[in-house]
Amino acid sequence: MSNYPQGLLDFIQQSPSCFHAIDIIKKQLTANGFLQLLESDSWELEAGKSYFVTRNLSSIIAFKVPRPDFVSFHIVASHSDSPTFKIKENAELEVSRAGAKYTQLNTERYGGMLCAPWFDRPLSVAGRVVTQENGKIQTHLVNIDRDLVLIPNLAIHMNRQANDGYAYNAQKDMVPLFGDGCAKGSFLKTVADSCNISEKDILSTDLFLYNRMPGTIWGANEEFISSPKLDDLECAYTSLQAFLNASHNKSASIYCVFDNEEVGSGTKQGADSTFLQDVLGRINSAFGRTREQFHMAVASSFMLSADNAHAIHPNHMDVSDPTNLVEMNQGIVIKYNANQKYTTDAVSAAVFKNICNQAGVPYQSFTNRSDMLGGSTLGNISNAHVSLNTVDIGLAQLAMHSCYETAGIKDIDYMIEGIKAFYNSCISMDADGIYQIER
Ligand code: CO
């Protein structure tokens, strides 16, 4: 086993919220010599140097431009967010009956989670607070980093239908318990103390619940890895490792992690924003290239939209497509959908398969059963802003959108090797329908 599975678990452990995920990515990039840019500054770029820029502290784009006359952009995109519960304003909720008192935290759902796994396990709170200090608005990352809240199940004796399929009510069943009656009034103080600020300086918060259970490697031959947030931090992590260790002297390597995929990407920092388009345009201008050269580069450019895929389930084999069965530890999944929720088409699949074949990386195909609607992802949304050849890929996993998901250990290395081979190549459009891949 390589060091990457443990590296992935460490990465996720340090990413209790999307803000923390971007922060750890920034740190890894900085440690590798990348320079931070601000969208609000003028960009003066040098060929051969490496840069990154964040938006909202929850999305990031990093890039390496080998020379001003680069041919194409080689882009890999994944997402930083996962389904969770967001803590509402005025979060403390006191419930009492005949003198019995509890303090709960009022929350709402973020994304489409499986509810059941969130019950009866220690949870904590992470995200950011925004303060007013010394006349400035400032952001602080928050991770309370101890077992703090829990969503208790109702006992089977009081809900005999619990095992017959239960409709969870987010406002009734899913509210986490924070303390007894004495806890009232202490939540924001707990938040402030965790990041060494004063409670009175807090103006606003973006705080989320997270599962405290650390990831683990398990199975008869340690072939599985389970952890919170594998969707999609597994792709964010593997593509980062590939990005740091590969490049081609004729193509610009671009690494993107977008927030808000789980809620449709339609935010200023999501895949349905101008972020990617803005960064690519600014790279082009910073090297003195014309608008015409930008369009030429985009026509030869290629994107891997990397977001996890469903492995065949041992207890529910019938819900998978009859001829495209995806297995863990069998390689990178290429995702297809006739209605183009996944961007993959014959050309983009062929280019990617060619790259994988050359690198000796296995791959497999995923489609939904024809009578089931699948999820959506980043690629087709991003393509509405910067339109380029794109293939949707991911790694096979079980229990997507549970707060504890399971994937295959070998696939981590396959993904890193496959994406490295992509960044180590230069794709160019030669003629209508004809592409060349240089290595
Ligand atoms: Co995802």
Side-chain angles (χ1 to χ4, degrees):
M1 196 191 297
S2 75
N3 293 328
Y4 288 123
Q6 190 55 50
L8 170 61
L9 292 182
D10 295 343
F11 178 82
I12 293 175
Q13 190 72 26
Q14 294 172 77
S15 304
S17 78
C18 57
F19 304 107
H20 291 82
I22 296 307
D23 192 55
I24 183 76
I25 291 167
K26 272 171 70 171
K27 285 179 176 142
Q28 290 204 15
L29 290 167
T30 304
N32 281 274
F34 281 71
L35 304 170
Q36 179 160 14
L37 300 168
L38 290 181
E39 289 197 282
S40 55
D41 282 349
S42 169
W43 290 9
E44 274 144 41
L45 307 180
E46 278 179 54
K49 289 198 172 168
S50 310
Y51 302 90
F52 69 86
V53 57
T54 69
R55 191 177 275 190
N56 190 51
L57 298 179
S58 62
S59 293
I60 193 163
I61 300 180
F63 55 91
K64 299 192 273 192
V65 180
R67 58 199 225 195
D69 62 339
F70 62 88
V71 172
S72 53
F73 298 106
H74 280 218
I75 304 164
V76 181
S78 58
H79 64 88
S80 60
D81 61 326
S82 301
T84 178
F85 293 85
K86 182 162 197 235
I87 296 177
K88 290 183 178 175
E89 295 299 299
N90 305 309
E92 288 180 2
L93 187 62
E94 194 178 53
V95 287
S96 64
R97 185 171 174 189
K101 274 189 191 154
Y102 286 117
T103 305
Q104 300 173 308
L105 295 182
N106 194 7
T107 57
E108 59 185 317
R109 281 186 287 206
Y110 174 89
M113 77 283 291
L114 285 168
C115 287
W118 284 88
F119 285 91
D120 302 330
R121 56 168 80 228
L123 306 171
S124 195
V125 171
R128 67 176 172 188
V129 295
V130 177
T131 58
Q132 182 181 306
E133 289 164 76
N134 312 317
K136 288 193 176 159
I137 301 295
Q138 300 197 22
T139 304
H140 301 263
L141 294 194
V142 173
N143 177 10
I144 293 180
D145 201 18
R146 67 179 173 89
D147 299 346
L148 185 75
V149 298
L150 183 144
I151 308 172
N153 253 303
L154 183 59
I156 187 76
H157 316 81
M158 294 155 179
N159 179 14
R160 295 280 179 193
Q161 294 82 46
N163 295 328
D164 302 333
Y166 183 74
Y168 296 103
N169 179 317
Q171 192 66 67
K172 180 158 181 66
D173 298 303
M174 304 306 301
V175 182
L177 178 60
F178 172 56
D180 59 18
C182 302
K184 182 89 169 84
S186 68
F187 177 61
L188 275 186
K189 169 97 170 63
T190 305
V191 170
D193 288 351
S194 75
C195 53
N196 299 314
I197 57 169
S198 171
E199 183 187 350
K200 69 173 173 27
D201 292 334
I202 297 178
L203 288 177
S204 57
T205 63
D206 286 318
L207 296 172
F208 301 90
L209 301 185
Y210 71 93
N211 177 10
R212 293 279 294 163
M213 189 167 171
T216 183
I217 294 165
W218 61 281
N221 298 299
E222 299 198 313
E223 61 269 59
F224 300 126
I225 183 166
S226 295
S227 165
K229 300 174 188 282
L230 288 176
D231 171 15
D232 191 28
L233 293 187
E234 188 174 22
C235 289
Y237 171 80
T238 50
S239 56
L240 178 61
Q241 303 317 311
F243 175 69
L244 292 174
N245 291 294
S247 59
H248 190 282
N249 68 3
K250 284 171 73 180
S251 58
S253 305
I254 316 284
Y255 168 79
C256 313
V257 183
F258 294 113
D259 192 9
N260 302 128
E261 191 278 338
E262 299 296 355
V263 293
S265 298
T267 58
K268 66 186 183 300
Q269 63 277 359
D272 197 3
S273 73
T274 58
F275 191 25
L276 178 61
Q277 182 183 7
D278 293 346
V279 170
L280 299 185
R282 292 179 76 169
I283 293 171
N284 189 74
S285 326
F287 286 104
R289 296 159 58 108
T290 62
R291 195 74 196 152
E292 185 69 3
Q293 286 173 303
F294 178 71
H295 291 302
M296 289 161 64
V298 169
S300 283
S301 292
F302 200 90
M303 181 194 273
L304 309 182
S305 162
D307 196 359
N308 272 357
H310 303 295
I312 185 165
H313 194 288
N315 300 345
H316 302 275
M317 293 211 159
D318 52 319
V319 300
S320 292
D321 182 73
T323 62
N324 295 286
L325 301 170
V326 163
E327 287 181 76
M328 291 179 285
N329 292 317
Q330 297 297 316
I332 298 173
V333 180
I334 302 175
K335 303 192 243 177
Y336 296 80
N337 173 246
N339 296 318
Q340 293 291 290
K341 288 278 188 208
Y342 302 132
T343 51
T344 313
D345 58 20
V347 169
S348 65
V351 168
F352 188 65
K353 285 179 180 179
N354 175 285
I355 288 170
C356 287
N357 287 340
Q358 293 289 330
V361 173
Y363 53 81
Q364 46 188 335
S365 306
F366 173 86
T367 67
N368 287 296
R369 272 181 66 104
S370 306
D371 52 5
M372 278 190 186
L373 276 181
S376 62
T377 181
L378 303 156
N380 70 328
I381 290 171
S382 173
N383 260 290
H385 298 273
V386 189
S387 313
L388 41 83
N389 276 321
T390 304
V391 61
D392 270 284
I393 61 170
L395 292 177
Q397 68 157 89
L398 297 170
M400 189 177 286
H401 292 191
S402 169
C403 64
Y404 208 69
E405 301 171 317
T406 293
I409 206 85
K410 287 185 193 165
D411 291 329
I412 296 165
D413 283 70
Y414 292 149
M415 190 62 131
I416 293 170
E417 288 308 312
I419 297 178
K420 265 167 71 178
F422 168 66
Y423 280 132
N424 278 332
S425 62
C426 178
I427 299 164
S428 55
M429 187 186 195
D430 266 12
D432 244 0
I434 299 178
Y435 296 85
Q436 179 168 315
I437 306 172
E438 287 176 61
R439 291 174 181 88

